[in-house]
Amino acid sequence: MLPKPKKYWTPQHWASWKPFGIGEQYPNNYWEVFRAIWLSRDKLPYAWNILNQGVCDGCALGTTGMKDWTLDGIHLCNVRLRLLRMNTMPALNPHLLKDVSQLQTQRSSQLRDLGRLPYPMMRQRGEKGFYRVSWDEALDLIASRIRATTPERLSFYITSRGTVNETYYATQKAVRAMGSNNIDNAARICHSPSTAALKTSLGAGATTCSYKDWIGTDLLVFIGSNVANNQPVTVKYLHYAKKAGTKIVVINTYREPGMERYWVPSIVESALFGTKFAEDFFLVNGGGDMAFLNGTIKHMIVHGWVDQSFIDSYTTGFTELKASLEQQSWEELERLSGATRYDMHAFAKMVAAANKAVFVWSMGITQHECGEDNVRSIINLALTKGFVGREGCGLMPIRGHSGVQGGAEMGCYATVFPGGKPINPENAVHLSQQWGFEVPSTRGLIAPEMIDAAYERQLDVLFSVGGNFLEVLPEPDYVEGALQRIPLRVHMDIVLSSQMLVEPADTVILLPATTRYEVPGGVTETSTERRIIFSPEIPGSRIGEALPEWEVFMELAKRVRPDLADKIGFKSTAAIRQEIAQVVPLYAGIQHLQQAGDQFQYGGSHLCFGWNFATPDGKAHFTPLSPSPKEIPEGCFLVATRRGKQFNSMVQERKDAITGALREAVLMNVADATKLNLKDGDQVILKNDLGELLGRIYIAPIQRGNLQVHWPEGNVLLDKTKRSLEGVPDYNAVVRLEKHN
């Protein structure tokens, strides 16, 4: 049993003795409540029902209503409140789209605020804007273009914001019925390295533990992850973890203020005096995590702090890892990590002293060329002490978006079929037998490859459900050029986005989608901790002719392949869940989810429980890893771009309420600034061979030699050719910095 949180107040954990943190920089969560009420004042009962009955469409923690399965009490964060208006806003005025020239100068946040897309609309080359068409006209045109080309020249992309299992499953089935595996989703550019590394090392491709394991474990480590900003509901877990005696440690390039202290609004003690979270920060270079963790393991081996019994009985590859580490000098590990061997020793002592530990990571680990090996370095460390498959232990690639966990598991992926099965002839034959039609057996185009194909004029149709390639991928000018070369672009979404307004090569079609709360029959999502949760339909007014995405794809597939009409239709979301249970064994039980609160956690509370690993040899695998040197020329900096008060590419504020930084901020170490005779607010230009970014110096507790800028603004500095093995863009770059006069 894990220790329970202390019920009495613990002043030693307070962030400040000033009531309500007066004068401190942190989010005003109470203001967020009033702001959400004001914005949705025209539909307050509907908004309340969404919050009180629906499954959160924000991050992937998966609250049902305002409750979850980790702690009692209210769970409502400002991310969900910011997204609420997208579910309650009225339709936009279609006349605004008759001439898009003025809209093309507006930011995406301004486009969203115009309202919901109400009707199918079309724009053709040479026309100033869009005009309304019927669903039949739109679908007939799309189907005719698909029939006129070949499967390899089609591409389909599904976003993760609010997308549900039923949509993922039905969409990928429809696309494969049309003969193509060119379908991908947003999980590709987030945690595909995590899935790949976990599968090869442990035989499990998802989070191995539950959120409950955070509270009372001995050691909770965050690596390249900022949950206070991206998954703010978790700060409540962190507060109670501290009260249960858990030691919280952060390994990152920047000493994130929200990971250091936070005022949790739903807990009186924390709302008044805040909570200090991380007891220790270890600052590393961007991409220096593997070197730091290798040094940590090296210390643990030298001092005999590893669990040799576990290693001998349940793992393989440790001898090779040990030999590899012996060849890595302390000087090299220090240079690559940016930390000292004494820092590594201090962290190793913490790991050694812990009987139980949970490791959490996110984009700071995965979005590198070596993303898969970064994850394996975390797995290596966890395996030295058997920190997996038991209470209070685990490996957690924390998800940023509601429902994204289900994307690949439903087979909405260019590289796997439903259930995460690799795309190969054998699995294609099996799936063909289940579905009653031939399924393509070769790997499809992943998301970045779709853009490359478009740029080379090798793509005839792009169908994008949500998302915005223009604002999430490197080299935005290249992406825009690629979009302009696709003869037919179809964008299905609930609101306008900038990529919809890119000039058409021939035809652009906009299709209005429902939100998850509007889908008849209700839907399900899968949370970070593998919990499949039912979200009911919320009664209320509906927008124009908006339809659920799954219905549109089923209808489109029938028009493309009328001979398969009886094999690809579903009567309801319940029917989709019935089939998911048959095709994806892990999801057996989803067919029984019918009303609010229904849920189950596939695989149980812990994957690999009892140290049973689903690898071919039944053992967990250590991986020998040698960090690759990243040469930074004299006078240059390594810049990371994934920052911002936003939800993916949806920028919510010009100022980050946690850091106080504005969108143009260039976070810089004070010693680096002093050396260059720079001070707070000085205007600078970051340059490389790909582009340049104008910003202002923001002095911050960041590792020397490193900079951070906001995203997607920083995408102009990124190299589109740098990707991990799973196809994740490297969201880091080497830049020169010049003072702007």
Side-chain angles (χ1 to χ4, degrees):
M1 289 286 290
L2 295 174
K4 300 295 183 185
K6 298 179 179 68
K7 294 184 178 180
Y8 51 84
W9 285 19
T10 50
Q12 67 268 31
H13 297 155
W14 291 356
S16 171
W17 283 79
K18 295 180 290 186
F20 296 103
I22 295 173
E24 300 285 346
Q25 178 70 50
Y26 71 95
N28 186 335
N29 294 289
Y30 301 112
W31 164 247
E32 292 290 344
V33 174
F34 290 119
R35 180 183 181 278
I37 291 173
W38 175 254
L39 289 177
S40 293
R41 62 191 181 279
D42 55 340
K43 290 190 177 180
L44 279 180
Y46 183 58
W48 170 252
N49 288 336
I50 287 175
L51 294 178
N52 198 43
Q53 300 172 29
V55 173
C56 175
D57 58 345
C59 75
L61 268 71
T63 57
T64 181
M66 289 181 277
K67 297 183 180 298
D68 69 7
W69 295 270
T70 304
L71 289 170
D72 294 331
I74 293 176
H75 300 276
L76 179 64
C77 73
N78 51 35
V79 169
R80 190 177 186 190
L81 290 170
R82 285 294 176 117
L83 292 172
L84 181 61
R85 185 54 177 164
M86 292 185 67
N87 296 291
T88 65
M89 66 170 56
L92 61 77
N93 183 348
H95 292 289
L96 293 172
L97 290 171
K98 284 190 172 182
D99 185 344
V100 300
S101 57
Q102 291 186 328
L103 296 179
Q104 289 170 330
T105 64
Q106 295 191 18
R107 299 187 302 273
S108 286
S109 58
Q110 295 173 304
L111 295 176
R112 288 198 307 273
D113 289 343
L114 294 175
R116 294 270 301 274
L117 288 170
Y119 311 112
M121 304 190 79
M122 184 184 297
R123 181 187 180 197
Q124 295 182 312
R125 183 176 179 84
E127 295 176 341
K128 291 183 177 181
F130 292 85
Y131 57 91
R132 183 177 174 180
V133 295
S134 70
W135 272 104
D136 277 336
E137 287 177 272
L139 291 176
D140 281 343
L141 188 148
I142 299 167
S144 67
R145 296 291 186 89
I146 291 174
R147 289 195 302 269
T149 187
T150 53
E152 68 272 12
R153 298 182 69 88
L154 306 174
S155 63
F156 301 84
Y157 178 79
I158 315 296
T159 190
S160 57
R161 195 210 75 79
T163 307
V164 295
N165 291 323
E166 292 80 359
T167 293
Y168 284 130
Y169 183 83
T171 299
Q172 60 85 30
K173 183 177 182 181
V175 171
R176 288 180 167 121
M178 291 184 278
S180 180
N181 279 326
N182 292 349
I183 181 166
D184 220 28
N185 77 79
R188 171 68 56 194
I189 57 175
C190 297
H191 270 302
S192 55
S194 300
T195 301
L198 286 166
K199 278 188 175 180
T200 56
S201 299
L202 306 179
T207 291
T208 69
C209 58
S210 304
Y211 286 115
K212 284 186 176 180
D213 292 297
W214 290 20
I215 302 169
T217 187
D218 298 320
L219 184 65
L220 178 56
V221 184
F222 292 90
I223 313 174
S225 178
N226 181 8
V227 296
N229 194 59
N230 299 320
Q231 296 92 1
V233 172
T234 61
V235 295
K236 193 168 186 176
Y237 305 165
L238 298 183
H239 173 86
Y240 284 110
K242 294 287 292 187
K243 292 179 80 69
T246 296
K247 185 180 184 67
I248 300 174
V249 175
V250 177
I251 300 169
N252 203 9
T253 305
Y254 173 49
R255 192 180 182 96
E256 298 283 358
M259 295 301 293
E260 192 167 18
R261 81 288 184 276
Y262 202 97
W263 281 256
V264 184
S266 59
I267 302 171
V268 174
E269 179 186 9
S270 185
L272 280 171
F273 300 111
T275 307
K276 290 186 295 187
F277 292 150
E279 298 177 39
D280 290 279
F281 275 83
F282 294 98
L283 296 187
V284 297
N285 289 328
D289 311 88
M290 189 194 307
F292 181 84
L293 296 174
N294 275 8
T296 301
I297 299 171
K298 193 176 172 83
H299 275 302
M300 294 186 68
I301 293 172
V302 168
H303 292 282
W305 291 338
V306 301
D307 185 340
Q308 197 63 50
S309 176
F310 167 80
I311 291 171
D312 292 342
S313 300
Y314 298 99
T315 74
T316 185
F318 184 71
T319 301
E320 292 79 2
L321 172 63
K322 184 178 178 181
S324 174
L325 292 175
E326 287 173 353
Q327 300 302 311
Q328 298 173 32
S329 70
W330 287 115
E331 291 75 17
E332 183 73 353
L333 291 175
E334 286 180 319
R335 184 179 72 84
L336 294 175
S337 70
T340 68
R341 71 191 74 180
Y342 306 106
D343 292 330
M344 301 173 202
H345 182 263
F347 181 55
K349 284 180 67 176
M350 296 176 193
V351 176
N355 291 317
K356 298 179 178 181
V358 176
F359 297 86
V360 182
W361 69 91
S362 194
M363 306 298 95
I365 286 292
T366 60
Q367 291 183 331
H368 296 266
E369 283 187 285
C370 57
E372 294 81 7
D373 281 348
N374 282 345
V375 175
R376 290 187 180 100
S377 68
I378 300 173
I379 297 171
N380 282 344
L381 178 58
L383 290 179
T384 62
K385 292 287 297 293
F387 289 144
V388 65
R390 55 192 176 99
E391 187 184 47
C393 297
L395 292 154
M396 179 176 285
I398 193 165
R399 298 285 186 168
H401 286 168
S402 164
V404 70
Q405 180 70 38
E409 291 167 348
M410 293 297 98
C412 200
Y413 233 32
T415 51
V416 299
F417 288 134
K421 295 180 180 179
I423 293 179
N424 58 38
E426 180 184 357
N427 289 332
V429 168
H430 180 67
L431 194 56
S432 298
Q433 292 170 346
Q434 289 181 300
W435 282 345
F437 58 82
E438 185 177 353
V439 174
S441 61
T442 55
R443 173 191 181 278
L445 295 176
I446 63 174
E449 291 171 346
M450 293 175 185
I451 294 301
D452 291 339
Y455 195 85
E456 297 298 327
R457 301 187 188 277
Q458 296 174 359
L459 212 61
D460 292 326
V461 178
L462 169 66
F463 196 132
S464 180
V465 177
N468 190 345
F469 284 133
L470 199 59
E471 296 185 11
V472 300
L473 291 179
E475 299 188 43
D477 287 346
Y478 170 82
V479 175
E480 183 173 8
L483 293 175
Q484 289 174 338
R485 299 179 184 200
I486 304 172
L488 174 64
R489 299 199 327 265
V490 183
H491 301 287
M492 188 170 188
D493 208 333
I494 62 174
V495 291
L496 281 177
S497 67
S498 57
Q499 75 171 355
M500 297 175 179
L501 306 180
V502 171
E503 293 298 314
D506 183 82
T507 306
V508 177
I509 294 176
L510 308 183
L511 301 178
T514 57
T515 70
R516 65 165 53 178
Y517 308 116
E518 297 168 348
V519 179
V523 291
T524 62
E525 75 149 78
T526 307
S527 73
T528 287
E529 62 175 5
R530 298 171 280 104
R531 195 176 300 277
I532 304 168
I533 314 164
F534 184 80
S535 185
E537 179 185 4
I538 309 296
S541 59
R542 298 295 184 247
I543 297 294
E545 297 176 359
L547 291 176
E549 296 101 327
W550 76 264
E551 290 186 13
V552 173
F553 272 93
M554 290 291 98
E555 181 59 32
L556 177 61
K558 290 177 183 178
R559 295 181 188 223
V560 174
R561 293 291 306 273
D563 55 311
L564 299 180
D566 61 329
K567 295 181 173 63
I568 52 179
F570 292 105
K571 293 182 178 179
S572 64
T573 56
I576 301 175
R577 293 191 287 276
Q578 286 284 347
E579 184 167 303
I580 291 172
Q582 296 170 1
V583 176
V584 186
L586 275 178
Y587 275 63
I590 191 174
Q591 71 274 32
H592 303 308
L593 306 184
Q594 299 177 2
Q595 57 188 13
D598 285 355
Q599 56 80 33
F600 70 96
Q601 190 175 15
Y602 80 73
S605 58
H606 298 89
L607 298 183
C608 313
F609 185 74
W611 296 331
N612 291 307
F613 300 101
T615 53
D617 59 6
K619 293 191 174 186
H621 291 231
F622 284 99
T623 308
L625 300 168
S626 298
S628 301
K630 184 181 281 286
E631 299 300 330
I632 310 297
E634 184 68 27
C636 290
F637 290 86
L638 182 64
V639 60
T641 64
R642 287 305 294 258
R643 286 214 67 80
K645 181 54 188 171
Q646 60 206 71
F647 186 71
N648 198 354
S649 63
M650 294 169 53
V651 176
Q652 296 171 338
E653 282 291 339
R654 185 164 179 267
K655 180 178 180 180
D656 189 321
I658 294 180
T659 65
L662 299 176
R663 300 297 302 181
E664 61 267 27
V666 178
L667 277 61
M668 189 179 207
N669 180 283
V670 63
D672 287 333
T674 301
K675 182 179 178 180
L676 296 175
N677 197 29
L678 294 168
K679 61 183 185 301
D680 246 342
D682 282 351
Q683 201 167 36
V684 294
I685 302 176
L686 306 186
K687 290 183 177 181
N688 60 20
D689 293 339
L690 297 167
E692 59 182 58
L693 178 69
L694 184 65
R696 291 187 181 275
I697 294 297
Y698 182 88
I699 303 299
I702 190 172
Q703 179 76 332
R704 290 197 66 174
N706 292 261
L707 305 172
Q708 289 192 7
V709 299
H710 284 84
W711 181 84
E713 291 89 339
N715 285 1
V716 295
L717 302 169
L718 303 178
D719 186 344
K720 67 180 183 299
T721 66
K722 292 187 175 181
R723 300 172 189 162
S724 79
L725 292 174
E726 292 295 313
V728 176
D730 189 332
Y731 283 93
N732 308 275
V734 175
V735 299
R736 304 180 300 278
L737 185 148
E738 299 175 4
K739 191 167 184 177
H740 184 64
N741 297 320

